Amino acid sequence: MSNVRIGVIGAGNMGADHVTTLHRHVSGAEVTLVADVDKERAALVAGFVPGARATDDAYALIADPDVDAVVIASHDTTHADLCVAALRAAKPVLCEKPLAPTLDECVRVVREERQVGGGLISLGFMRRFDPAYVELKSAVGAGSCGAPLLVHCTSRGVSSAPGCTDELSVTGSAIHEFDTVPWLLDSPVTEVSWHAGRSTSAMAGLHDPQLMLLRTADGTLTTVEVFLNAGYGYDIRCEVAGEHGTLALTNPARLVSDSARARLTGYPADWRPRFADAYRLELQAWTDAVAAGQPSPLADAYDGLVASAVAEAVIASMKDGGRTVPVQVPEV
Amino acid sequence: MSNVRIGVIGAGNMGADHVTTLHRHVSGAEVTLVADVDKERAALVAGFVPGARATDDAYALIADPDVDAVVIASHDTTHADLCVAALRAAKPVLCEKPLAPTLDECVRVVREERQVGGGLISLGFMRRFDPAYVELKSAVGAGSCGAPLLVHCTSRGVSSAPGCTDELSVTGSAIHEFDTVPWLLDSPVTEVSWHAGRSTSAMAGLHDPQLMLLRTADGTLTTVEVFLNAGYGYDIRCEVAGEHGTLALTNPARLVSDSARARLTGYPADWRPRFADAYRLELQAWTDAVAAGQPSPLADAYDGLVASAVAEAVIASMKDGGRTVPVQVPEV
Amino acid sequence: MSNVRIGVIGAGNMGADHVTTLHRHVSGAEVTLVADVDKERAALVAGFVPGARATDDAYALIADPDVDAVVIASHDTTHADLCVAALRAAKPVLCEKPLAPTLDECVRVVREERQVGGGLISLGFMRRFDPAYVELKSAVGAGSCGAPLLVHCTSRGVSSAPGCTDELSVTGSAIHEFDTVPWLLDSPVTEVSWHAGRSTSAMAGLHDPQLMLLRTADGTLTTVEVFLNAGYGYDIRCEVAGEHGTLALTNPARLVSDSARARLTGYPADWRPRFADAYRLELQAWTDAVAAGQPSPLADAYDGLVASAVAEAVIASMKDGGRTVPVQVPEV
Amino acid sequence: MSNVRIGVIGAGNMGADHVTTLHRHVSGAEVTLVADVDKERAALVAGFVPGARATDDAYALIADPDVDAVVIASHDTTHADLCVAALRAAKPVLCEKPLAPTLDECVRVVREERQVGGGLISLGFMRRFDPAYVELKSAVGAGSCGAPLLVHCTSRGVSSAPGCTDELSVTGSAIHEFDTVPWLLDSPVTEVSWHAGRSTSAMAGLHDPQLMLLRTADGTLTTVEVFLNAGYGYDIRCEVAGEHGTLALTNPARLVSDSARARLTGYPADWRPRFADAYRLELQAWTDAVAAGQPSPLADAYDGLVASAVAEAVIASMKDGGRTVPVQVPEV
C-alpha cells in the first residue's frame, strides 16, 4: 500500500512538530512538501525529511500533484482561506484549531465544505486522541460513575504568550474544553458564564486565571479554569462527578523522586510532552482514514464552528459582567 | 491543677462524640453532666463517664455548680437561647455550628455577649483545628504559593440526611466553607452566587450537587462544590491556586491496597474519621483556654454571625436565578 | 477519678516529649516528677508542667510517694537497673526501647518481673499505636490481602546520629521492625540474614543502607531496609503482599503543592511528626490501663527480649558474611 | 525512502502483536511475510496486513527476497537456530528474549555473529525503550538521586502461565530485571542469591513469590521480587535509592476514580497495556536503524548472553539453599 503524501502548511513550532511526528512516528505517511511564508523556515523543516520540498506558496502546495492531503498549521487568520482552497482541490485537510478566528468565517468554511459533499476537513482537537481522555470518555460512556452531574476542567500553563488577551485565553486555550466537554458528555454546551477574580501580576492587564461555567443540554454543569500564568507547570485536569462516583485524569508523570524533604513528580513546561501521544495518534488516525478513503474519526469543521460559537458566548459574558449567555450556533 | 468540669447539652451523635472525646482524649477535662430532652439518652451517654450525671433540663445543667463550662450540641433551634442562658450564668460555651438558624438570632446572641463583656462563646468550626487545614493556612500565610488567586473547595458525602433541603445544604454543610475560606485567606466573603445543574436522583427535589462562587475582599474567587449524595464516600478537598503555585489537602487515607485490578485508598462513610483529630484538638484548645482563663482560640460568636450572613446571601442567590448577591453582615 | 501521677526519668528529647504529651494531650495523666542526671535539664523540663518537681536521682523518683507510675526515657544502659528498681517498688513502668542493650540484661529484667507476678513493664514500641500500623494490622488480620507472603519494610532517615555504628543501626533502628513484623503477622521471627552493598559517603565506616531478610514462623519472608542517611527525609514504609493483593502504608503528608515544575508532598526531618499520634495514643493507653489497674495493651518486657534476640541474630549474620542465622530466644 | 520489508516468525500473541504494531504504528516498516508452524495461524496473522503472505517454514521466510529483516517471536527453543540462519543470510534480526534457553546456545549465537562481523542481532529487552525506564535511566545518569546505593525491583502479574516452574520464573520473567538493572546502573551484575518464603497456593509446587538479591560491580545491591500469581494485576515497579534521594517509576494508570468508599486506579491484566509504547518505540528504533544501515540501539546478542548468565547463577543459588553465587559470563 502506498504512503499518503502530505503537505504541511506552516513551519512554526506546531507545523514542525507535525512534520517530525508524521515522518518519524506515523505509519503510512510521507511528508512531501512544506510551505511557509518564510521560505528559509520552510526549507529548514522540509530538511527533516529526506526528499521533502519547500515552498513559500501555500496555494501551490495545495495544488501540488505530490500532495494527497494537507495539514494546516499556519496562522489562525489563514485557516479559512486555506481550507476553502483545499476543499476546491478536493484534498483532505487536517486544520489546527481554531477553524477560523471569527464565527462568520467558520460558517463560510462549513458551507463551502457542504457544497463539495462534506467530510474533507478534520479539526485538530487532539485531546480526542489523548489516551487518557479516550479512557475517560469510554468510562463515562460505560456508566462507571453514573450519570455525570458536574465536570471540573483545569487548564494551567507556565506563562502566557506575549500579546495574550482575555479573549485569546478563551479562543486559544479554553476552546479545547469547549470541544472536549460536549465530546465527553455527548451533549452540546447551551449556556455559559465568565468569571474572574484577583489576577496574577505576571502579565498586566490580563484576567488570569479565568473561570467559566458551562451548561450542557443534559443539564450537567462544568467549571473551566484557565490559568495561563500558573507558573509551576503545564497541568491539565478533568474530573467528572456522577451519580455513583467520579472519574478523573491522573497526573501523567512517569517518575517520582524523593529529595530535599519532599516527594515529587514533575510537570512539563508546555503541552508537548503532555500531548505528544495525542498528536501522534490523531495524525495516525487521519492518515489511516485518508489512505482508506474512509471518513475521518477526528473532529470536523462543524465541531470547530460549534466550539467557536461557545467561545463567542463566553466572550459576550466576559463583556457583560459575567451574565449567563446562551450559546447560539449559526444555521449552516 | 484541677480539671475543667464540663456539661454537655445534647446527647445525639455529636454530643455523645464530644462526651467520649472529652473523657478519653482531652487532658484536663471532666464531663460532669449531660443533658438531653430524652432523659434516657442523656443517662446512656452520661454512663460513658464514671461519676457523670444526666438531666433533661439544659437550663439546670447551665446553672449547675458542678459545671464550669458548657458544650452545646443540641438541635440548632435551641442554640441561641442556650447561649444566652450560659452568657447570663457567665459560663464559657462551645456551641456547635450554626450559632443559630437565623441571622436575627445570631445578632441577638452576639449583642448579648457584648453586654457581658465578650469572649465567652466559642463556635465549633472545628476545621480550624484540623491539622491539614492548619498546615494549609500556615503555608498560605507563609507565601508558599504566592498570593492566592483561586480557591477550590469540595465537600462530598455519601448521602444527605432525611428531610434535607437546598437551604439546609447551605446552612448545614457549605457553612463550613463560609468560615474556612475567609479564615484561610484572612479576608471576608463579600459576594456570592449559587448554581446547580443536573441533580442526583438519590433524593427527589433536592439540588445536589450545588456550586457556589464566593468572592473575598482580597479579590480571590472561590468555588464551593457541595455534593451531599456523592455516594462514594466522605471527601473534603481544598486547593488554593496562587501566583507561584498551589497548595491542597491530600486524601488522608492511611492505607493503600492492591486488589482486583486496582490500587485503592479508602474513603470514610462520614465526617467522623476525617475530623476526629480536629474535634479532639478543638476541645483540647477550648479546655486549656477555659482552665487558664485565657481567650478562646476557637471561632467566636461573631464568626458564627458572619458565616450565617454568607449563607443568607447564598440562599438569596439560589432564590433569584443565580444572581450575584453581596454579603451583608448586620451591625451589632 | 483521680489522675495517674507519673514520674519521667530522662529529660532528653524523648523524655521532654513524653512530659509535654502527657501534660498537654493525655487524659487522666499528671506529671509530678522529672529526673535527669543533669538536674538543670530536669528542672527545665519539669517546668513545662505547673507543680511538677525535678530531681537528679532516678531511684528517688521511683520511690517517691507522689509517683504512681514511671516512664523510663534515660540512656539505654540505665534501662535494666531502673526497670528492676521500679519492679521492686511495684510501680508500673513504660520503658523506651530497647529494654536493655544486651540480651543478658533483658533476661534479667524479664525474670525479675516474673518473680513479682508480671505485667508491670510496658515497652515503648509505639508503632503498635500508630493509627496507620493499627489499620494495617487490622486489615491483614481481616484477610484483606489474603495470607501474607512477603513484607517489605523501609526505614529511612535524614542522617544518623554521631557515633552511629552498624550494630546501632540494628539495635536502635531496625529493632522497630523486629517488633512490628511479628506483631503484624502474629508470627515470630525465626531466622535472619544481613546484607549491605555500596554505602553512603555521608558517614565513613558505616554500612548504610543495610538490608535484612527476616523469616517468620509462618514462612513469610520480610525485607527490612534501614537507611539512616537517606538525606531526603524521614520515611517509613511497609507493604504486605499476600495471596490476593497487597496492603501498604501511605505517605502521611497532609498537603500537596505544585511549584517550580513539580507536584510535591513533604517529608518530616525526623520521627516526631510521623509518630506524634503513636506516642500520644500509647501514653493514653498506658495511662488508662494504670488508672484502671488493667493489663497494659503495650508491648511487654518479653516482647522487648524477643526483639533484642532478633537483633542479636542479625548482628551475628553481619559478622559472618551475611550467613542465615536462626533467632534464639533465651529461656526465661 | 522505501519501507523496510519485515518477516515475522511466530504468530502467537507476541508475534501477532508485533505484526500489528509494525503495520499500524511504525513508520517505514512493512510486514511482508509471517511464519508459524501452524500455517493457519500464520495466515490469520498475515491477514492483518494487506499484501502480506504466510508460510509455515521459518527458514524460507529468512531466505525470502521480500524480507529485508526478521523478527523472531517463536518458541524460545527455536531462537538460536533461527538467529544463526538469519546471520548466515546476513539479515538483521530482532529476537525476542531470551536469546536462547541455555547459556551454551547463547554462546554459539554470539560467536556466530562475531564471525559475520557483528551488529546483526538485536534482542527484545523492550524496557530499554519504555519511556518511564528511559526517564529513570536518564535521571540516574544525571545524578538526580546521587550515586545509586540500593535498587528495588518488583515484577508482579495476575497469574503464571500453565507449566510454569521456579526456573522459568527466573529465565522468563526475572530476566528482564537482569538486563534492566545493569543497563540502568551501567554496571554488570557480579553475584546473586535467591530466596523464597511462603508461596501462593495459586499454583502447587511453584515458589512464588521469589526474591533475588543482585550485586553489581559498582557495589549497588538490588532486590528483585518476582510474583507471578500476585492476582491483583500486572504491576512493575522500580526504585533507585541513592546518596541524595530516590527515583522510582510511577503507577502509569491514566484515570483515577472514586467509587464505593474508595479512590482507585486500575492495573492492567497483563504486560500489553503497560509496555505497548515500549514495544512500539523499540520496533521503530530497530526499523529506523535497519533502514539507515546504522547500528541498532537495542540490546544485542551479547546483552542476551549476559542476562542468561545472571539467570544461570540465580538458578544455581536456588538449587543450593540461597547461597551467594558469582555470575560467570562465558568467554566468547
Side-chain angles (χ1 to χ4, degrees):
Chain A
M1 202 164 60
S2 59
N3 287 334
V4 176
R5 298 169 305 162
I6 298 171
V8 176
I9 301 173
N13 286 338
M14 182 62 79
D17 282 358
H18 281 332
V19 168
T20 301
T21 303
L22 284 164
H23 175 53
R24 299 187 52 192
H25 291 290
V26 173
S27 172
E30 185 180 350
V31 177
T32 50
L33 202 48
V34 176
D36 199 281
V37 287
D38 175 348
K39 192 168 179 184
E40 284 186 24
R41 176 86 199 156
L44 178 76
V45 172
F48 298 170
V49 184
R53 291 178 287 124
T55 175
D56 59 359
D57 182 347
Y59 294 92
L61 179 148
I62 291 170
D64 198 289
D66 286 346
V67 168
D68 300 324
V70 179
V71 170
I72 300 175
S74 48
H75 196 275
D76 293 0
T77 54
T78 67
H79 289 187
D81 286 345
L82 292 168
C83 280
V84 169
L87 287 170
R88 290 178 182 173
K91 294 193 177 176
V93 171
L94 197 179
C95 180
E96 270 307 312
K97 59 89 199 163
L99 181 56
T102 69
L103 210 45
D104 280 351
E105 283 179 289
C106 292
V107 168
R108 178 164 70 97
V109 176
V110 172
R111 286 190 179 147
E112 188 88 27
E113 190 192 31
R114 296 207 170 167
Q115 282 185 340
V116 303
L120 279 180
I121 298 179
S122 296
L123 208 69
F125 283 129
M126 81 293 178
R127 290 193 190 173
R128 296 188 181 201
F129 290 86
D130 176 68
Y133 273 104
V134 169
E135 270 196 40
L136 179 58
K137 178 173 169 61
S138 167
V140 168
S144 300
C145 66
L149 305 176
L150 273 181
V151 180
H152 296 297
C153 300
T154 306
S155 179
R156 296 178 184 159
V158 173
S159 57
S160 53
C164 187
T165 63
D166 290 354
E167 286 84 353
L168 285 171
S169 299
V170 173
T171 57
S173 292
I175 200 164
H176 279 296
E177 266 76 18
F178 302 159
D179 182 67
T180 301
V181 170
W183 169 79
L184 268 179
L185 299 179
D186 209 11
S187 181
V189 179
T190 55
E191 63 176 39
V192 303
S193 63
W194 179 94
H195 310 268
R198 181 148 63 162
S199 285
T200 175
S201 58
M203 188 168 173
L206 188 69
H207 283 98
D208 187 41
Q210 303 183 358
L211 184 79
M212 301 155 218
L213 301 188
L214 315 181
R215 194 178 301 266
T216 37
D218 61 4
T220 305
L221 201 60
T222 294
T223 63
V224 176
E225 178 200 321
V226 171
F227 186 6
L228 301 178
N229 294 282
Y232 68 84
Y234 183 77
D235 184 12
I236 301 297
R237 304 180 189 176
C238 184
E239 185 196 34
V240 179
E243 289 246 9
H244 306 310
T246 75
L247 290 160
L249 306 181
T250 59
N251 181 337
R254 294 188 179 104
L255 294 189
V256 57
S257 70
D258 295 312
S259 175
R261 305 286 187 281
R263 159 163 293 191
L264 39 85
T265 50
Y267 282 111
D270 65 21
W271 43 267
R272 286 167 165 180
R274 175 62 186 85
F275 287 114
D277 250 25
Y279 281 110
R280 177 180 65 81
L281 292 164
E282 179 190 67
L283 287 165
Q284 185 70 63
W286 180 68
T287 298
D288 292 349
V290 171
Q294 298 286 336
S296 158
L298 280 68
D300 64 17
Y302 189 74
D303 295 321
L305 166 66
V306 169
S308 290
V310 176
E312 192 169 88
V314 168
I315 291 170
S317 175
M318 179 196 293
K319 294 186 171 167
D320 193 14
R323 187 173 57 85
T324 296
V325 173
V327 174
Q328 293 179 302
V329 182
E331 300 270 336
V332 283
Chain B
M1 202 166 58
S2 59
N3 287 334
V4 175
R5 297 169 307 161
I6 297 171
V8 176
I9 301 173
N13 287 337
M14 181 62 80
D17 281 359
H18 282 332
V19 168
T20 301
T21 303
L22 285 164
H23 174 52
R24 298 188 51 191
H25 291 291
V26 173
S27 173
E30 185 182 349
V31 176
T32 50
L33 201 50
V34 176
D36 199 282
V37 288
D38 175 348
K39 193 169 178 182
E40 283 185 26
R41 176 85 199 159
L44 178 76
V45 172
F48 298 170
V49 184
R53 290 178 287 124
T55 176
D56 58 0
D57 182 348
Y59 295 92
L61 179 148
I62 291 170
D64 197 290
D66 286 347
V67 168
D68 301 324
V70 179
V71 170
I72 300 175
S74 48
H75 195 275
D76 293 359
T77 53
T78 67
H79 289 187
D81 285 346
L82 292 168
C83 279
V84 169
L87 287 170
R88 291 178 181 174
K91 294 192 177 177
V93 172
L94 197 179
C95 180
E96 269 307 313
K97 58 90 201 162
L99 182 56
T102 70
L103 211 44
D104 281 351
E105 282 179 290
C106 291
V107 169
R108 177 163 70 96
V109 175
V110 172
R111 286 191 177 145
E112 188 88 26
E113 189 192 32
R114 296 210 169 166
Q115 281 184 342
V116 304
L120 278 180
I121 297 179
S122 296
L123 208 69
F125 283 129
M126 80 293 178
R127 289 193 190 172
R128 296 189 180 200
F129 290 86
D130 177 67
Y133 273 104
V134 169
E135 270 195 39
L136 179 58
K137 179 174 169 60
S138 166
V140 169
S144 301
C145 66
L149 304 177
L150 272 181
V151 180
H152 297 296
C153 301
T154 305
S155 179
R156 296 177 184 159
V158 172
S159 58
S160 53
C164 188
T165 64
D166 290 353
E167 286 83 353
L168 285 172
S169 298
V170 173
T171 57
S173 292
I175 200 163
H176 279 296
E177 267 75 19
F178 302 159
D179 182 67
T180 301
V181 170
W183 169 77
L184 268 179
L185 299 179
D186 210 11
S187 182
V189 179
T190 56
E191 63 176 39
V192 302
S193 63
W194 180 95
H195 310 267
R198 180 148 64 160
S199 285
T200 175
S201 60
M203 188 169 172
L206 189 70
H207 284 98
D208 187 41
Q210 303 183 358
L211 184 78
M212 301 156 217
L213 300 188
L214 315 181
R215 194 178 300 267
T216 37
D218 61 4
T220 305
L221 201 59
T222 294
T223 63
V224 175
E225 179 200 322
V226 171
F227 186 5
L228 301 178
N229 295 282
Y232 67 85
Y234 184 77
D235 184 11
I236 301 297
R237 305 180 188 177
C238 184
E239 184 196 34
V240 179
E243 289 247 10
H244 307 310
T246 75
L247 291 161
L249 305 181
T250 59
N251 181 338
R254 294 187 178 105
L255 294 189
V256 57
S257 70
D258 295 312
S259 175
R261 306 285 187 282
R263 159 163 292 191
L264 39 84
T265 50
Y267 282 111
D270 64 21
W271 44 267
R272 286 166 164 180
R274 174 63 187 85
F275 287 114
D277 250 25
Y279 282 109
R280 177 180 64 81
L281 292 165
E282 178 190 66
L283 287 165
Q284 185 70 62
W286 179 68
T287 298
D288 291 350
V290 170
Q294 299 286 335
S296 158
L298 281 67
D300 64 17
Y302 189 75
D303 294 320
L305 167 66
V306 169
S308 289
V310 177
E312 193 169 88
V314 168
I315 290 170
S317 175
M318 178 195 295
K319 294 188 170 165
D320 194 14
R323 187 173 56 86
T324 296
V325 173
V327 174
Q328 292 180 302
V329 182
E331 299 270 335
V332 283
Chain C
M1 201 167 60
S2 59
N3 287 333
V4 176
R5 297 168 307 161
I6 298 170
V8 176
I9 299 173
N13 286 337
M14 182 63 79
D17 282 358
H18 283 332
V19 168
T20 300
T21 303
L22 285 164
H23 174 53
R24 297 189 51 191
H25 291 291
V26 173
S27 172
E30 184 181 348
V31 176
T32 50
L33 203 49
V34 175
D36 199 281
V37 288
D38 175 348
K39 194 170 178 182
E40 283 186 26
R41 174 88 198 155
L44 178 75
V45 171
F48 298 170
V49 183
R53 289 177 289 123
T55 175
D56 59 0
D57 182 347
Y59 295 92
L61 178 148
I62 290 169
D64 197 289
D66 287 346
V67 168
D68 300 324
V70 179
V71 169
I72 300 176
S74 48
H75 196 274
D76 293 0
T77 54
T78 66
H79 289 187
D81 286 346
L82 292 169
C83 280
V84 169
L87 287 170
R88 291 177 181 174
K91 294 192 176 176
V93 172
L94 196 177
C95 179
E96 268 309 310
K97 59 89 199 164
L99 181 56
T102 70
L103 211 43
D104 281 352
E105 282 179 289
C106 291
V107 168
R108 177 165 70 95
V109 175
V110 171
R111 286 188 178 147
E112 188 87 28
E113 190 193 30
R114 296 207 170 168
Q115 283 184 340
V116 303
L120 278 180
I121 297 180
S122 297
L123 208 70
F125 283 131
M126 81 294 178
R127 290 194 190 173
R128 296 188 181 202
F129 291 86
D130 176 67
Y133 273 104
V134 169
E135 269 194 42
L136 179 58
K137 179 175 170 59
S138 167
V140 169
S144 300
C145 66
L149 304 176
L150 273 181
V151 180
H152 297 296
C153 301
T154 306
S155 178
R156 296 177 183 159
V158 172
S159 57
S160 53
C164 188
T165 64
D166 290 354
E167 287 84 352
L168 285 172
S169 299
V170 173
T171 58
S173 291
I175 199 163
H176 279 295
E177 266 77 18
F178 302 159
D179 182 68
T180 302
V181 170
W183 168 79
L184 266 180
L185 299 178
D186 209 11
S187 181
V189 179
T190 56
E191 63 177 39
V192 303
S193 63
W194 179 94
H195 310 267
R198 179 147 65 160
S199 285
T200 176
S201 59
M203 188 169 173
L206 188 69
H207 283 98
D208 187 41
Q210 303 183 358
L211 184 77
M212 302 155 215
L213 301 187
L214 315 182
R215 194 177 301 266
T216 37
D218 60 6
T220 304
L221 201 59
T222 295
T223 64
V224 176
E225 178 201 322
V226 172
F227 187 5
L228 301 179
N229 295 282
Y232 67 84
Y234 184 78
D235 184 13
I236 301 297
R237 305 180 190 177
C238 184
E239 185 196 31
V240 179
E243 290 247 9
H244 307 310
T246 75
L247 290 161
L249 305 182
T250 59
N251 181 337
R254 293 189 179 105
L255 293 190
V256 57
S257 70
D258 296 311
S259 174
R261 305 286 186 282
R263 159 166 292 191
L264 40 83
T265 51
Y267 282 111
D270 66 20
W271 44 268
R272 284 167 166 180
R274 175 63 186 84
F275 286 116
D277 248 26
Y279 283 109
R280 177 180 64 82
L281 292 165
E282 179 189 67
L283 288 165
Q284 184 71 62
W286 180 67
T287 299
D288 291 348
V290 171
Q294 299 286 335
S296 158
L298 280 68
D300 65 17
Y302 188 75
D303 295 319
L305 166 67
V306 169
S308 290
V310 177
E312 193 169 87
V314 168
I315 290 169
S317 175
M318 179 195 295
K319 294 186 169 166
D320 194 13
R323 186 174 57 86
T324 296
V325 173
V327 174
Q328 292 180 304
V329 182
E331 299 269 337
V332 283
Chain D
M1 201 165 58
S2 59
N3 287 334
V4 175
R5 297 169 307 160
I6 297 171
V8 176
I9 301 174
N13 286 337
M14 181 62 81
D17 282 358
H18 282 333
V19 168
T20 300
T21 303
L22 285 165
H23 174 53
R24 297 189 51 192
H25 291 291
V26 173
S27 172
E30 184 180 351
V31 176
T32 50
L33 202 49
V34 176
D36 199 281
V37 288
D38 176 348
K39 191 168 178 182
E40 282 185 27
R41 176 87 198 154
L44 178 76
V45 172
F48 299 170
V49 183
R53 289 177 289 123
T55 175
D56 58 1
D57 182 348
Y59 294 93
L61 180 147
I62 290 170
D64 197 289
D66 286 347
V67 168
D68 301 323
V70 179
V71 170
I72 300 176
S74 48
H75 196 275
D76 293 359
T77 54
T78 67
H79 288 188
D81 286 346
L82 292 169
C83 280
V84 169
L87 286 170
R88 291 178 181 174
K91 294 193 177 175
V93 172
L94 196 178
C95 180
E96 269 308 311
K97 58 90 200 161
L99 182 56
T102 69
L103 211 44
D104 281 352
E105 282 179 290
C106 291
V107 168
R108 177 163 69 94
V109 176
V110 172
R111 286 189 177 147
E112 188 88 27
E113 190 193 31
R114 295 206 170 169
Q115 283 185 340
V116 302
L120 279 179
I121 298 179
S122 296
L123 208 69
F125 283 130
M126 81 293 179
R127 289 193 191 174
R128 295 188 180 202
F129 290 87
D130 177 67
Y133 273 105
V134 169
E135 269 194 43
L136 178 59
K137 178 174 170 58
S138 167
V140 169
S144 299
C145 66
L149 304 176
L150 273 181
V151 180
H152 296 296
C153 301
T154 306
S155 179
R156 296 176 183 159
V158 172
S159 58
S160 53
C164 188
T165 64
D166 289 354
E167 288 83 351
L168 285 172
S169 299
V170 173
T171 57
S173 291
I175 200 164
H176 279 295
E177 266 75 20
F178 302 159
D179 181 68
T180 301
V181 170
W183 168 79
L184 267 180
L185 299 178
D186 208 11
S187 182
V189 180
T190 56
E191 63 176 39
V192 302
S193 64
W194 179 95
H195 310 268
R198 178 148 64 160
S199 286
T200 175
S201 59
M203 188 168 172
L206 188 69
H207 283 98
D208 187 41
Q210 303 183 358
L211 184 78
M212 301 155 216
L213 300 188
L214 315 181
R215 194 178 301 268
T216 37
D218 60 5
T220 305
L221 201 61
T222 294
T223 63
V224 176
E225 178 201 323
V226 171
F227 186 5
L228 301 178
N229 295 282
Y232 68 83
Y234 184 77
D235 184 13
I236 301 297
R237 304 180 190 177
C238 185
E239 185 196 33
V240 179
E243 289 247 8
H244 308 310
T246 75
L247 290 160
L249 305 181
T250 58
N251 181 337
R254 294 189 179 104
L255 293 189
V256 56
S257 70
D258 295 311
S259 174
R261 305 286 186 283
R263 160 165 291 191
L264 38 84
T265 51
Y267 282 111
D270 65 21
W271 44 267
R272 286 168 164 179
R274 175 62 186 85
F275 286 115
D277 248 26
Y279 282 110
R280 177 179 65 81
L281 292 164
E282 180 190 66
L283 287 166
Q284 184 70 64
W286 180 67
T287 298
D288 291 349
V290 170
Q294 299 286 334
S296 158
L298 282 68
D300 65 16
Y302 189 74
D303 294 320
L305 167 67
V306 169
S308 289
V310 177
E312 193 169 87
V314 168
I315 290 169
S317 175
M318 179 197 294
K319 294 186 169 165
D320 194 13
R323 186 174 57 86
T324 296
V325 173
V327 174
Q328 292 180 304
V329 182
E331 299 269 337
V332 282

